[in-house]
Amino acid sequence: MAREQWGTKLGFMLAAMGSAVGLGNIWRFSFVAGNNGGGAFLLLYLGCVFLIGIPLLLTEVSIGRKAKSDVVGSYQKLAPKTPWFFTGFFGIFSAFLILSFYAVVAGWSLYYFFHYITGDFFQAPGEGGFGAVFGGFISQGWQPLFWTALFMAMVIFIVVSGVKRGIETANKIFMPLLALLLIVLAVFSLSLDGAMEGLKFLFQPDWSAFSKPSIYVQALGELFSLSLGMGALLTYGSYLSDDKKLPGAAIGIGLMDTFFAVISGLVIFPAVFAFSIDPSSGPPLVFITLPTIFEQMPLGGIVGLIFFFALSLAALSSAISILEVPTAYFMRLFNWTRKKSSITVGSIMFFLGIFVSLGFGVWSGVTPIGDRNILDSMDYIASNILLPLGGLSMALFVGWYFRKSTALKAVDLKDDLFGGVWYGIVKFIVPVVILIIFVSSL
Ligand code: TRP
C-alpha cells in the first residue's frame, strides 16, 4: 500500500502547529514569561525560537521527509546497521509517557467544558469554591478516568481516520477555530478594568533578569514544548512529498507557536490582574483561579465555556500528533492496519493514564522521583531526559552523520549564507545548548 500523504502543504503546517500548540502554551508559557522578566523573557525566548527552535524543527521534519518512514524506521533506512535508530526509541518512549499524563489533564478540561455547557459551573457549586471542586474531582477514582477515556477515544478516532482524512481535516478546523476563540477571549480580557496590570506583568521588560542563569535554562526548556525531540514532527514530515519546501514552513510553525503562547497570556493575565488575584502556575491557575475569575466577571459563564473549549481543542490537536508516533511505528513493524495499531497504542496509554489519575487520589502518596507525584515524575523523565536526548541525537545525526551537502539538500537549503548558518547551528550550537540544559536540569 502506498504511504499516506498530506493533501496540501498548508494542511501539514496546520497539523504541525496543532502539535506544537498545546496545554503547555496555555498554562505554562505566559506564567514563566511573567515571572522571568516579562518582555525581556519574551525577547530572549523569541531569540531562542529563531536560533535553536526553528533550525531544530527544520532538522526533525527533514529526517522524516527524506526517509518517508516512522521515527525508528527513518534512522534504520538512512543509517542502516548503525545504532542511530535508538533516537527513535527515545521518541516512542516519550510519546507513551507524555500522552498518558496529557490525556488525564485533557480529560479534566473536557469535564470543565461539559459543566460550562450545562451551566453548572457558571457559579462554583458548593462550599470551598473551585478549589474544592477541582480537588474533589481529581481525587476520585472513576469520574476523571471516564473523561480521560472519552478524550483518548476522540484522539484514536481522528488518528484511525487517516493522515489526510483524519489528522489534516481535524487540524484544518481546529487551528483557525482555536485562533479565533483565543482572540475573542483576549479582546474581552483586555477590555476589563485593570487589564493594564496584566499587560505589565507579561510585557514590562525587567532587563536585570538577564543576569540570572535560570532564565536561559527556562527559555531553552520551553523550546521543547514546540513538540521537538519526540518524533511527532518527524512522523508528520514523513507524509510530505519532496516538492514541498521546508524552511518557510518551519519558520511559520515556530512563529505561530509563539503567537499562540502570547495570545494565551493576553487572555489570562489581564483577567487575573483585573480581579487582583495572585497568579499561580500550572493546573491550579487553569482549573481553580480562572474559573473563580470567570464567576465574578460579566458573561463569565460564556467566557469559561469558550476557554475550556479552546483548551480542549489545543490538547486534542497535540494529542493526535503524539499518538501518531507509535501508531506509525507499529503499523510498519507488525504490518498492522492503522485501526489496529492506534487502538492498541491508545489503549496502552489509557492504561498508563489510570496510574497517573489515581496519583491524585488513592495513590497521592506515591512519589517515584523525588517528591514528584506520578504525573510530575512521568513529565520529568520525558521532558527533562528523553526529549533533550532525542533532540540532541537528531541534531548530531544530521550535523555529523550526513555529509554537509546531504544535510543541506534534505532541508531545501543551498550552500550559501543561510544554509551555512543553519548547518553551523545544527552541528555545533544545538548540541552544546542541549547539553547545557540537560546537565543543568538534572
Ligand atoms: N506541544 C504540546 C504542548 O506544548 C505537546 C508537547 C510536546 C508536550 N512536548 C511536550 C507536553 C512535553 C508536555 C511535555 O502542550
Side-chain angles (χ1 to χ4, degrees), residues 131-420:
V133 170
F134 182 59
F137 168 64
I138 63 172
S139 57
Q140 288 173 31
W142 291 108
Q143 267 255 39
L145 284 177
F146 166 77
W147 295 96
T148 302
L150 182 66
F151 179 78
M152 269 322 271
M154 297 196 287
V155 178
I156 292 172
F157 175 77
I158 295 171
V159 171
V160 167
S161 307
V163 173
K164 190 167 145 186
R165 226 161 50 93
I167 302 176
E168 183 168 347
T169 307
N171 279 293
K172 273 184 170 161
I173 302 168
F174 292 176
M175 295 317 287
L177 186 59
L178 180 62
L180 182 75
L181 296 176
L182 289 177
I183 290 171
V184 168
L185 289 179
V187 168
F188 185 76
S189 189
L190 287 168
S191 73
L192 295 168
D193 283 337
M196 270 313 283
E197 281 304 306
L199 285 184
K200 274 193 198 147
F201 175 75
L202 201 54
F203 291 117
Q204 194 169 60
D206 168 14
W207 303 113
S208 70
F210 281 147
S211 61
K212 288 185 234 143
S214 69
I215 171 177
Y216 299 95
V217 176
Q218 291 269 22
L220 292 167
E222 213 42 49
L223 277 182
F224 280 95
S225 84
L226 275 167
S227 278
L228 290 170
M230 160 170 65
L233 296 172
L234 186 156
T235 308
Y236 274 8
S238 76
Y239 305 125
L240 271 175
S241 56
D242 294 332
D243 57 332
K244 307 282 193 298
K245 297 283 173 268
L246 298 184
I251 294 174
I253 298 162
L255 284 181
M256 284 310 283
D257 182 71
T258 312
F259 167 79
F260 275 99
V262 171
I263 198 100
S264 310
L266 290 180
V267 172
I268 295 172
F269 289 101
V272 168
F273 283 88
F275 288 88
S276 314
I277 289 176
D278 193 23
S280 60
S281 68
L285 171 71
V286 172
F287 295 105
I288 300 173
T289 314
L290 291 181
T292 309
I293 293 170
F294 297 153
E295 193 182 8
Q296 300 166 36
M297 64 165 64
L299 297 176
I302 308 292
V303 171
L305 192 150
I306 299 177
F307 179 82
F308 283 100
F309 182 44
L311 190 67
S312 305
L313 281 182
L316 193 54
S317 62
S318 297
I320 54 188
S321 75
I322 304 176
L323 180 62
E324 180 63 16
V325 174
T327 295
Y329 172 60
F330 287 117
M331 277 170 73
R332 179 185 57 83
L333 187 68
F334 299 128
N335 218 348
W336 282 351
T337 59
R338 173 166 280 282
K339 188 168 171 185
K340 181 167 179 186
S341 188
S342 54
I343 293 178
T344 309
V345 172
S347 306
I348 298 173
M349 289 166 168
F350 173 70
F351 178 74
L352 293 174
I354 296 177
F355 295 85
V356 175
S357 188
L358 294 179
F360 291 94
V362 287
W363 288 342
S364 56
V366 181
T367 51
I369 299 181
D371 54 2
R372 295 177 179 83
N373 64 17
I374 299 178
L375 187 155
D376 291 338
S377 299
M378 285 166 78
D379 185 22
Y380 179 80
I381 297 173
S383 302
N384 294 30
I385 300 174
L386 295 173
L387 294 184
L389 285 180
L392 174 66
S393 187
M394 283 172 189
L396 292 177
F397 181 67
V398 171
W400 295 87
Y401 182 79
F402 281 175
R403 244 175 291 165
K404 186 176 181 186
S405 56
T406 316
L408 286 170
K409 189 158 177 281
V411 294
D412 303 319
L413 287 175
K414 290 195 215 44
D415 200 352
D416 51 16
L417 179 68
F418 221 56

Side-chain angles (χ1 to χ4, degrees), residues 70-151:
D70 54 86
V71 250
V72 178
S74 288
Y75 292 95
Q76 287 170 334
K77 212 156 153 186
L78 298 176
K81 304 202 182 65
T82 65
W84 282 107
F85 66 91
F86 275 106
T87 314
F89 287 120
F90 292 141
I92 301 277
F93 226 59
S94 329
F96 272 99
L97 286 177
I98 292 177
L99 196 48
S100 306
F101 68 74
Y102 211 72
V104 172
V105 180
W108 300 345
S109 174
L110 283 183
Y111 172 83
Y112 271 63
F113 177 46
F114 176 74
H115 284 282
Y116 273 102
I117 294 181
T118 61
D120 297 347
F121 277 10
F122 283 21
Q123 234 123 58
E127 287 272 301
F130 280 104
V133 170
F134 182 59
F137 168 64
I138 63 172
S139 57
Q140 288 173 31
W142 291 108
Q143 267 255 39
L145 284 177
F146 166 77
W147 295 96
T148 302
L150 182 66
F151 179 78

